[in-house]
């Protein structure tokens, strides 16, 4: 419990009342304000806040992002550079990412797109069986979410490789890093899953050259940010048949504009950025615990490294 009165500002793009209530429940010793005009607060808990918020709030001890990715927050020019920025770690998102990735992996492994087209053509064309261990999946990003996804796929029996910036060791996952490591993962992956943060290094990472390295007919699953992917290159690769299917949860522009060529494409499968949603209760519990630790002068995890961009 914190003894001195604390003022917390919550600012979310949507469902503000529910977030305010959840945070007040998890942190009963604090005043949780939701209006933009709240007087100087100790902490801000935000998702897509107005730029004016940081210009008004000059005494913040930390900013908490209500999401795992902080690219949009880091792009706000008024975000104070000397205030710690702390992001969400898992808070129930890892399990949702595992479900999503397993669902797509099973679709691809059991050739669902092939049989759906065969049905449309009234064709009875059984294909040879495959073993799980022969189905090769690559996961780019082995952080909180990527490592959980790679582990879940490996435990299911698929042959999984993963890629990160620094070297990693995960049971039953072939871990790669660096430029050569990326090529190793790309050239073997029949399903490539993107779970990297958007940074100056990862923006545009998957372009024509990288797509061309994947095995012919491979599938791509983007769960991270649309900006990682060159949309025109992907559409060309889909039309040429070098990429078989694209499963896209995230886009350079969200909501995806109605005229975007992804919408009608027969090999593009769209979901509206719902791969992993942030549950109010678990997220607010994590924020509350970290605020309590900070008030006691203790360190917290999830601190964003501004230089790295994640
Ligand atoms: P983490 O910060 O825990 O993990 C990031 C991973 O990416 C780390 O393994 C890191 O390497 C790796 N990485 C970063 N930069 C590079 C690089 N230049 N080259 C190679 N590897 C790199 O993030 P999370 O796992 O928590 O989240 C990942 C992303 O998922 C978020 O940033 C967000 O964009 C997205 N997301 C999407 C959601 C959705 O609903 N679609 C929901 C939640 C998150 P290293 O381990 O060496 O540091
Ligand atoms: C996140 C997201 O980063 O929802 O948490 O995309």
């Amino acid at each position: 419990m914190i003894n001195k009165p604390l003022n917390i500002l919550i600012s979310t793009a949507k469902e503000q009342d529910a977030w305010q209530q959840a945070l007040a429940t998890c942190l009963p010793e604090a005043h949780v304000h939701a209006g933009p005009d709240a007087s100087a607060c100790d902490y801000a808990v935000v998702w897509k806040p107005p730029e004016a918020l940081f210009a008004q709030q000059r005494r913040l001890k930390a900013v908490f992002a209500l999401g795992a990715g902080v690219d949009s927050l880091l792009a706000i020019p008024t975000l104070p550079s000397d205030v710690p920025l702390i992001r969400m770690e898992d808070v129930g998102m890892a399990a949702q990412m595992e479900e999503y990735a397993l669902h797509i992996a099973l679709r691809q492994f059991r050739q669902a797109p092939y049989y759906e087209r065969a049905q449309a053509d009234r064709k009875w064309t059984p294909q040879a069986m495959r073993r799980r261990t022969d189905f090769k999946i690559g996961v780019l990003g082995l952080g909180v979410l990527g490592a959980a996804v790679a582990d879940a796929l490996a435990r299911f029996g698929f042959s999984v490789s993963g890629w990160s910036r620094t070297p990693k060791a995960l049971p039953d996952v072939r871990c790669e890093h660096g430029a050569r490591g990326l090529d190793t993962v790309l050239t073997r992956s029949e399903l490539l899953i993107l779970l990297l943060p958007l940074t100056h290094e990862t923006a545009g990472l998957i372009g024509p050259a990288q797509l061309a390295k994947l095995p012919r007919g491979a599938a791509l699953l983007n769960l991270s940010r649309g900006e990682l992917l060159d949309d025109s290159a992907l559409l060309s690769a889909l039309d040429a048949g070098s990429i078989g299917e694209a499963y896209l949860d995230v886009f350079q522009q969200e909501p995806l504009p109605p005229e975007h060529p992804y919408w009608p494409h027969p090999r593009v499968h769209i979901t509206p950025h719902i791969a992993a949603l942030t549950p109010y209760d678990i997220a607010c519990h994590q924020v509350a615990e970290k605020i309590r630790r900070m008030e006691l002068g203790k360190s917290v995890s999830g601190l964003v490294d501004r230089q790295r961009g994640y």
Side-chain angles (χ1 to χ4, degrees), residues 20 30 85 114 201 214 224-225 230 253-254 303:
Q20 184 181 10
L85 173 60
Y114 173 85
E201 284 186 8
L214 293 165
S224 54
R225 288 293 183 262
D230 178 335
Q253 191 184 341
E254 295 183 3
L303 198 63

Side-chain angles (χ1 to χ4, degrees), residues 68-71 87-90 93 97 140-146 163-168 195-199 201-202 223-225 249-250 273-277 308 310:
V70 289
D71 44 285
R87 70 184 193 94
M88 290 284 109
E89 296 172 285
D90 184 355
M93 288 191 276
M97 286 294 189
L140 304 190
L142 293 175
V144 174
L145 304 179
W163 185 67
S164 51
R165 198 174 53 83
T166 54
K168 290 263 168 319
L195 261 168
L196 292 160
L198 172 61
T199 68
E201 284 186 8
T202 63
L223 297 174
S224 54
R225 288 293 183 262
D249 183 57
V250 286
H273 201 140
I274 49 73
L277 302 175
R308 286 186 330 189
Y310 70 100

Side-chain angles (χ1 to χ4, degrees), residues 7-28:
N7 286 292
I8 319 278
L9 179 62
I10 184 136
S11 175
T12 61
K14 51 186 178 144
E15 296 149 358
Q16 172 102 339
D17 292 350
W19 278 109
Q20 184 181 10
Q21 195 164 0
L23 191 56
T25 305
C26 292
L27 208 54

Side-chain angles (χ1 to χ4, degrees), residues 112-133:
Y114 173 85
Y115 288 114
E116 285 162 7
R117 283 182 195 109
Q119 179 178 349
D121 294 341
R122 300 175 184 234
K123 279 191 182 149
W124 185 271
T125 47
Q127 302 293 295
M129 72 150 279
R130 293 188 73 189
R131 292 176 205 284
R132 290 182 194 177
T133 45

